Amino acid sequence: MYLYIYDQYQGGPEGRKRTEALVRRCAEWYIREERMNIGTVSPIILRTERGKPYFKEVPVEFSVSHTGRLWVCLIDRDPVGVDIQYMRKCRREQIAGRYFTPDEQEYATAMGEAGFFQIWTRKEAYVKFTGEGINEKMKDVSTLRSNEVEFVDFDIQKGVKGSCCMKEKRELWIRRLT
């Protein structure tokens, strides 16, 4: 499982095109590193009914997240989800009350801002993994004691939390895009 990091991302009106170009680049790197005999990556990225992106004819799964100028793409052969967030002031108690399970709320209270963002990035990575998007069901799944999925947490830089979600725990290889 590879996490590709790009630190010069610019969203805006052209953000989706930039993201798709970066995803194709990451997929090509992944295919080379994994020595998959596929050829070039299809330029077509499709979306499920709920919006989860995928390649039409390339047997890889990917997930994308960005915060500020940081952009990441997680790629593997199996379904994955990733999220990154700058730790910042927000209505943590309200958000936790709406989306966190009781054990997650306890953890976030005990661990403060870092704990809150660890749980939040896990929640977002989970909904990207499932393809369901943010909804009220997020409150039903504990990211601290789930038996369905595994999480790998990472820090890209100071003040940025990140989490990956996958079916079975895998080693995370980090690559920086230049």
Side-chain angles (χ1 to χ4, degrees):
M1 177 170 67
Y2 289 83
L3 180 71
Y4 297 93
I5 302 170
Y6 183 65
D7 63 5
Q8 299 171 26
Y9 183 74
Q10 294 178 29
E14 299 294 314
R16 188 175 216 162
K17 286 182 185 176
R18 283 187 194 100
T19 290
E20 289 185 0
L22 286 167
V23 167
R24 282 191 289 280
R25 188 168 150 201
C26 294
E28 287 173 357
W29 280 24
Y30 176 83
I31 288 165
R32 274 196 306 276
E33 289 203 71
E34 288 294 300
R35 297 185 176 107
M36 298 170 75
N37 190 14
I38 293 176
T40 60
V41 174
S42 165
I44 300 170
I45 296 176
L46 302 173
R47 296 188 179 276
T48 65
E49 283 182 23
R50 295 210 170 236
K52 184 173 182 168
Y54 66 95
F55 287 111
K56 184 176 183 179
E57 297 173 356
V58 181
V60 298
E61 299 276 339
F62 67 93
S63 179
V64 172
S65 183
H66 66 88
T67 186
R69 293 182 56 92
L70 284 174
W71 179 94
V72 297
C73 179
L74 182 65
I75 299 185
D76 196 36
R77 293 178 192 223
D78 297 317
V80 290
V82 68
D83 188 57
I84 58 173
Q85 294 285 325
Y86 273 109
M87 293 192 301
R88 62 193 183 287
K89 296 227 180 284
C90 64
R91 296 181 308 239
R92 293 192 322 237
E93 295 80 19
Q94 285 181 301
I95 294 168
R98 182 170 180 189
Y99 294 109
F100 290 12
T101 61
D103 64 322
E104 291 171 330
Q105 290 177 44
E106 249 180 66
Y107 180 86
T109 299
M111 301 304 287
E113 185 177 56
F116 170 84
F117 280 102
Q118 179 183 8
I119 298 298
W120 185 252
T121 58
R122 283 181 169 204
K123 290 284 192 183
E124 290 245 15
Y126 176 77
V127 299
K128 290 177 182 181
F129 168 82
T130 64
E132 292 183 7
I134 296 175
N135 59 44
E136 296 299 323
K137 286 196 272 185
M138 287 174 71
K139 191 169 184 159
D140 298 335
V141 177
S142 172
T143 62
L144 295 174
R145 52 184 171 77
S146 173
N147 294 326
E148 299 174 27
V149 295
E150 298 284 341
F151 294 95
V152 174
D153 301 315
F154 59 91
D155 296 319
I156 295 175
Q157 65 187 38
K158 186 177 180 178
V160 178
K161 288 289 183 193
S163 295
C164 303
C165 181
M166 74 274 334
K167 183 71 176 157
E168 294 177 5
K169 193 161 275 197
R170 307 267 314 237
E171 190 166 2
L172 181 64
W173 298 94
I174 298 176
R175 304 286 188 261
R176 291 212 177 256
L177 297 177
T178 53

